[in-house]
Amino acid sequence: MTRRQNLALSVALAFALFFSITYLFSSSGSGLATSSKPGTALVPPAPQDARDAAAAEKPFFVDLSAVPAALLEGDSIAPKLENATLKAELGRATWKFLHTMAARFPENPTPEERTTLETFIHLFGRLYPCGDCARHFRELIAQYPPQTSSRNAAAGWLCFAHNIVNERLEKEIFDCNAIGDFYDCGCGEEKKEGAKGTTELKEKDGI
């Protein structure tokens, strides 16, 4: 009999403790939901659309502070390239690479993508295998910072930079409105493939 009474008492105490803890947590939770301090109501976060609109109104600035300054502002890593034939071949291949990269850059890049491209351009100004050429390029981007707000902006800036180099070397000046005709990025093939896929889908659906 005594054991049953002790068991019943233990169960009763356990229930009382459980309900006491539940009450305390529910009271503190409701207090947090209504105010952060006496007399001050919590303000709900702005909707995502409103935050996006506010961010769009602010001018974009590429922050390269995360990259050590010594990496971006140092001298050319490679020495002077004496072989004129190799220098010319390297230049042609590099311009094709850069123009193709710009032509395939996103039309509406994210801040991370813009920062990535600008960081690459600054590092390219140190790593280019022709030391003198790299130095000239760093002087160019210091005077005319890269433009990365869109694909057209990046491609237009790169064409402008290319023409500055061509002018210094007394070479032909490109028409930047037709730069895509000279440097084929392969984008046309993607459009053809996309159009072909759309046509096949329509034929399959009987449209």
Side-chain angles (χ1 to χ4, degrees):
M1 186 70 180
T2 304
R3 292 179 60 186
R4 291 183 180 179
Q5 290 178 345
N6 290 338
L7 180 60
L9 181 60
S10 298
V11 173
L13 289 174
F15 273 105
L17 181 61
F18 171 77
F19 284 116
S20 298
I21 293 174
T22 303
Y23 175 76
L24 288 174
F25 274 102
S26 61
S27 299
S28 60
S30 61
L32 288 173
T34 54
S35 64
S36 58
K37 60 181 181 179
T40 304
L42 283 177
V43 178
Q48 183 63 42
D49 292 342
R51 293 200 298 266
D52 292 342
E57 294 176 358
K58 297 180 180 179
F60 180 82
F61 174 73
V62 174
D63 183 13
L64 299 178
S65 60
V67 182
L71 294 182
L72 301 177
E73 301 172 359
D75 295 330
S76 302
I77 292 177
K80 182 178 180 179
L81 185 58
E82 300 289 354
N83 189 317
T85 301
L86 180 57
K87 181 188 291 187
E89 292 177 353
L90 178 64
R92 287 191 294 269
T94 301
W95 282 120
K96 180 174 179 58
F97 162 70
L98 292 175
H99 284 294
T100 303
M101 180 177 65
R104 300 182 70 85
F105 191 64
E107 185 56 49
N108 298 298
T110 64
E112 180 185 5
E113 290 167 339
R114 294 185 63 179
T115 301
T116 300
L117 178 58
E118 294 206 19
T119 303
F120 169 82
I121 291 172
H122 281 84
L123 293 176
F124 172 83
R126 294 197 61 205
L127 288 167
Y128 189 64
C130 169
D132 287 349
C133 310
R135 176 173 54 82
H136 291 145
F137 189 76
R138 290 198 306 277
E139 293 172 354
L140 188 155
I141 62 178
Q143 185 174 1
Y144 305 105
Q147 303 299 310
T148 61
S149 60
S150 67
R151 178 186 302 149
N152 289 336
W157 174 85
L158 188 63
C159 181
F160 171 77
H162 194 168
N163 278 337
I164 291 178
V165 174
N166 281 356
E167 185 177 20
R168 180 173 58 81
L169 299 177
E170 298 181 352
K171 291 186 176 182
E172 179 184 359
I173 301 300
F174 287 107
D175 177 5
C176 290
N177 292 321
I179 191 67
D181 297 336
F182 194 86
Y183 291 102
D184 184 8
C185 68
C187 307
E189 295 300 322
E190 293 180 354
K191 293 179 180 178
K192 291 179 183 177
E193 289 296 327
K196 180 181 177 182
T198 302
T199 302
E200 292 177 349
L201 182 61
K202 289 182 177 179
E203 292 176 351
K204 181 179 178 181
D205 293 341
I207 299 177

